[in-house]
Amino acid sequence: MTTLNAEPDTPVPVGIEKNRVRGGPPRSEILRRDKWWAQPLAIFSGLLAFIVYATWAALRNGHFYAGNVGRDYLSPFYSPCLTNSCTSNGYVWGGWTWWRLSPAIPILIFPLSFRLSCYYYRKSYYRSFWLSPPSCAVPDAGSTKAKSPRNKYSGETKFPLIFQNIHRYTWYFAVIFAGILTFDAVAAFRFHNGIGMGLGTLIFVVNALLIWAYTLGCHSCRHLCGGGLRTFSSANSRHFIWKNFVSKLNEHHQLFAWLSLFWIAFADFYTWLVATGAIHDPRFF
Amino acid sequence: MSVENTQPQVGDDTQQKQVTLKIWRGDASGGKFVDYTLDYLDGEVVLDAVHRVQSEQAPDLGVRWNCKAGKCGSCSSEINGKPSLMCMTRMSTLDLEEPITVSPMRTFPIIKDLVTDVSFNFEVAKKIPALQPKPREKDGTYRMSQIDIDRGQEFRKCIECFLCQNVCHVIRDHEENKPNFAGPRFLMRIAELEMHPLDTLDRRRYAFDVMGVGYCNITKCCTEVCPEHIHITDNAIIPLKERVVDVRFDPVAWLGRTILRRPKPTSSEEVIKLTPAGRSANTPS
């Protein structure tokens, strides 16, 4: 790492001297009176609940496609459908007869990497899981203890967190998956006796819309569509997209991150209920 | 026989409400919170109350202030543990039943009581090369389109109160990072220059190598405490991180630059030469 202070003839400026006595009581004394712990606790609980559900959903390897009851509903955890369980019902994907594990595993790597490196989720889990920091003006876990291994902090400058910088590549795949889930939403209008619409169809349409709202509001998307330009005046169409579309979605990135996360699990759960025959999917027309 | 109610009633002007301020008193040799009880006056901000303590009870109380209008950024402190401007925090918004703690910013070395030495920030500011404008137009002027300066104008609202610097856990909880991390205010300054339509210097590698943008883990506390409500993380730091990815972590962008024979990103060493320290180091003695 190059620093100005490393220049041989440049004295270390007074303001960057370390270990001077700092203002106020010791950092270990938390002075905040509000419920600063409530938000990280709520986020921790929400993400943990999703992890538990997603693990069960990904490993159950069954009842992820409702073709057996005349519905073309495919769980987003298993989309695109890689196995013969869908092709036997006329689904367009499939054919991975050699794959022995749950087909959700190779699929979920892509949306998982997108969400793990997402700028919003990074904030969420750095705060609620890694406690770095748990809340503003609350010390990082372990940072007040001299001998704690958590006393050193290098942020996203070293392995493994430096890999957060691949976010734009995960976004490229996320766009492909958003397209696939859109296909699934359209396919959900297909019934064994023609075009129709059931409650599941509505759920899959909402799922696709939320996935697009989350994917296109991504900070990397915002950069790639125009935010990376130094000037906008020579790129009017990119400015229009950046300002009126992507930045607007980006303002609500947190909201869409949670809504889409919940809805994916809900769509999977609904598909499972329909596929197992636990409930009958009401058909509107 | 009736019993008179001796409890103060709502709107009873005869009972003057009292508030207690717990103000940090001390210097580099040590300090403690000292309680000051005073009358509650409608419409006051915390700075007003601190001034009354100074004029009525503790004339030697050290407090830095200037405009009392949220525009000079002098009266930064921590009120009930939250980094805030004293002049912009109404007493009526606080829980007056409990003592209100007023402490100095905990990231910077203390001078006296509520006054800290914020020269760290001025030293960091010197590390940022100033605007390197492109040649003037033929008529001797510079021209910029409004859409090109909209983004930068948000960042120009900064009043340099350094609350964002104070709350940032990268240096608040890990002081050893001070020489290698510029902090949110100055990463925002680099982002502003990178988005400036007249500037010609590429500071992207410098932002990572010297100013330490990679240390930021985007937990958004800087945005939460900004009294000017600047979207520091979403509009400055994340766009800057994405620009850094362009020149450091994106092989496709590198391939594109190579094939299209675009200029190479400016090295950190070249940028250092343009800083005040770098210029003086290169001046022949």
Side-chain angles (χ1 to χ4, degrees):
Chain A
M1 170 103 21
T2 316
T3 68
L4 270 185
N5 299 334
E7 297 280 321
D9 296 326
T10 309
V12 176
V14 172
I16 304 186
E17 261 184 30
K18 294 181 291 182
N19 304 322
R20 288 172 65 193
V21 177
R22 298 201 272 167
R27 280 186 305 106
S28 54
E29 193 177 327
I30 298 170
L31 295 175
R32 281 186 64 170
R33 296 256 184 77
D34 55 335
K35 294 185 177 66
W36 58 265
W37 42 266
Q39 190 185 46
L41 181 64
I43 290 172
F44 175 83
S45 306
L47 290 179
L48 188 65
F50 180 81
I51 291 167
V52 170
Y53 178 81
T55 305
W56 171 77
L59 297 180
R60 77 170 184 261
N61 196 11
H63 300 298
F64 53 79
Y65 181 60
N68 57 324
V69 291
R71 296 288 192 269
D72 214 353
Y73 301 159
L74 173 64
S75 160
F77 282 80
Y78 290 82
S79 181
C81 189
L82 303 175
T83 66
N84 279 341
S85 54
C86 300
T87 47
S88 59
N89 286 283
Y91 205 81
V92 295
W93 314 100
W96 279 29
T97 51
W98 50 273
W99 184 260
R100 293 286 174 262
L101 301 172
S102 166
I105 292 171
I107 291 168
L108 289 182
I109 289 170
F110 297 98
L112 183 68
S113 61
F114 179 53
R115 290 192 185 244
L116 269 179
S117 61
C118 161
Y119 285 98
Y120 167 68
Y121 282 109
R122 274 146 79 177
K123 172 199 165 188
S124 297
Y125 62 75
Y126 284 144
R127 279 199 188 193
S128 56
F129 281 77
W130 198 239
L131 307 178
S132 179
S135 195
C136 302
V138 175
D140 282 12
S143 70
T144 57
K145 295 169 188 158
K147 290 185 179 173
S148 168
R150 298 283 307 272
N151 206 14
K152 293 281 180 190
Y153 173 89
S154 55
E156 297 178 343
T157 61
K158 291 181 180 167
F159 178 84
L161 293 181
I162 200 165
F163 277 97
Q164 302 282 29
N165 289 303
I166 64 162
H167 186 49
R168 65 180 57 171
Y169 285 93
T170 67
W171 180 78
Y172 298 142
F173 284 104
V175 171
I176 294 169
F177 273 79
I180 291 169
L181 293 180
T182 306
F183 177 89
D184 289 344
V186 174
F189 284 93
R190 193 174 61 172
F191 288 71
H192 64 280
N193 56 353
I195 301 297
M197 184 180 182
L199 178 58
T201 314
L202 188 63
I203 290 170
F204 278 86
V205 169
V206 172
N207 184 54
L209 290 174
L210 288 174
I211 288 290
W212 276 116
Y214 171 61
T215 306
L216 295 179
C218 162
H219 291 84
S220 286
C221 172
R222 195 175 178 224
H223 171 79
L224 294 166
C225 80
L229 296 170
R230 188 183 278 274
T231 56
F232 281 131
S233 52
S234 54
N236 283 329
S237 54
R238 289 181 75 183
H239 176 252
F240 181 84
I241 295 168
W242 175 84
K243 184 181 179 186
N244 299 308
F245 189 61
V246 179
S247 290
K248 291 272 189 281
L249 286 173
N250 182 261
E251 286 173 20
H252 306 289
H253 200 44
Q254 171 179 338
L255 175 71
F256 289 125
W258 278 105
L259 286 178
S260 60
L261 191 76
F262 168 78
W263 207 264
I264 283 174
F266 177 58
D268 172 78
F269 186 62
Y270 187 81
T271 307
W272 178 74
L273 289 175
V274 172
T276 54
I279 63 167
H280 173 69
D281 175 55
R283 185 169 173 177
F284 303 143
F285 63 86
Chain B
M1 191 179 190
S2 64
V3 178
E4 279 188 20
N5 186 354
T6 56
Q7 294 296 314
Q9 301 296 303
V10 176
D12 184 351
D13 292 336
T14 61
Q15 288 289 328
Q16 179 61 55
K17 198 171 182 179
Q18 303 271 295
V19 291
T20 300
L21 295 185
K22 283 173 85 77
I23 300 179
W24 183 260
R25 300 300 310 271
D27 53 25
S29 63
K32 62 177 181 179
F33 278 114
V34 177
D35 286 6
Y36 299 96
T37 302
L38 61 164
D39 291 344
Y40 169 75
L41 299 183
D42 264 346
E44 277 196 334
V45 292
V46 172
L47 183 60
D48 294 324
V50 168
H51 277 163
R52 280 202 292 130
V53 169
Q54 194 183 44
S55 65
E56 297 167 7
Q57 303 182 42
D60 62 337
L61 174 65
V63 54
R64 184 186 280 137
W65 66 283
N66 195 353
C67 74
K68 288 181 76 176
K71 286 298 163 199
C72 73
S74 301
C75 63
S76 302
S77 69
E78 300 190 7
I79 300 167
N80 284 345
K82 276 188 175 176
S84 321
L85 290 181
M86 282 189 273
C87 71
M88 298 302 285
T89 307
R90 286 193 168 275
M91 292 289 285
S92 57
T93 62
L94 304 170
D95 177 8
L96 302 177
E97 302 301 319
E98 296 284 325
I100 297 161
T101 62
V102 185
S103 49
M105 292 192 282
R106 291 208 259 185
T107 298
F108 306 118
I110 191 162
I111 296 175
K112 184 179 187 316
D113 302 335
L114 300 177
V115 183
T116 52
D117 176 2
V118 293
S119 54
F120 161 75
N121 301 291
F122 307 132
E123 298 302 334
V124 175
K126 289 181 199 166
K127 291 164 105 177
I128 301 175
L131 182 86
Q132 309 290 316
K134 62 186 182 186
R136 291 174 186 272
E137 306 284 336
K138 285 179 182 171
D139 59 3
T141 63
Y142 287 118
R143 289 199 187 87
M144 297 181 283
S145 299
Q146 184 60 43
I147 60 169
D148 289 335
I149 56 174
D150 277 341
R151 287 181 294 182
Q153 281 184 327
E154 181 191 7
F155 309 143
R156 299 296 288 188
K157 291 194 299 180
C158 176
I159 58 173
E160 297 210 319
C161 61
F162 303 130
L163 287 174
C164 58
Q165 301 284 93
N166 173 49
V167 81
C168 181
H169 72 121
V170 179
I171 48 179
R172 183 184 176 97
D173 294 333
H174 307 279
E175 197 170 20
E176 71 279 4
N177 289 331
K178 276 186 175 175
N180 301 320
F181 181 65
R185 192 276 167 267
F186 298 103
L187 293 176
M188 183 172 75
R189 172 69 180 149
I190 296 174
E192 180 196 337
L193 289 165
E194 279 299 305
M195 297 172 190
H196 199 294
L198 296 181
D199 190 56
T200 55
L201 184 61
D202 172 8
R203 298 167 177 80
R204 292 174 294 178
R205 281 184 168 271
Y206 185 76
F208 187 86
D209 295 341
V210 179
M211 305 310 268
V213 69
Y215 282 83
C216 171
N217 70 345
I218 47 169
T219 41
K220 287 197 175 181
C221 286
C222 49
T223 305
E224 277 189 30
V225 301
C226 179
E228 286 293 313
H229 308 293
I230 303 170
H231 295 92
I232 302 172
T233 321
D234 284 321
N235 289 348
I237 296 180
I238 293 175
L240 185 61
K241 273 180 171 264
E242 286 294 320
R243 284 164 191 258
V244 168
V245 172
D246 285 343
V247 293
R248 285 201 68 111
F249 302 108
D250 189 341
V252 174
W254 169 81
L255 195 63
R257 281 195 302 274
T258 306
I259 293 171
L260 299 173
R261 298 188 177 180
R262 294 274 165 81
K264 283 185 179 176
T266 310
S267 71
S268 299
E269 286 72 21
E270 288 173 68
V271 178
I272 285 174
K273 289 175 189 166
L274 296 169
T275 62
R279 282 202 305 269
S280 59
N282 290 322
T283 305
S285 53

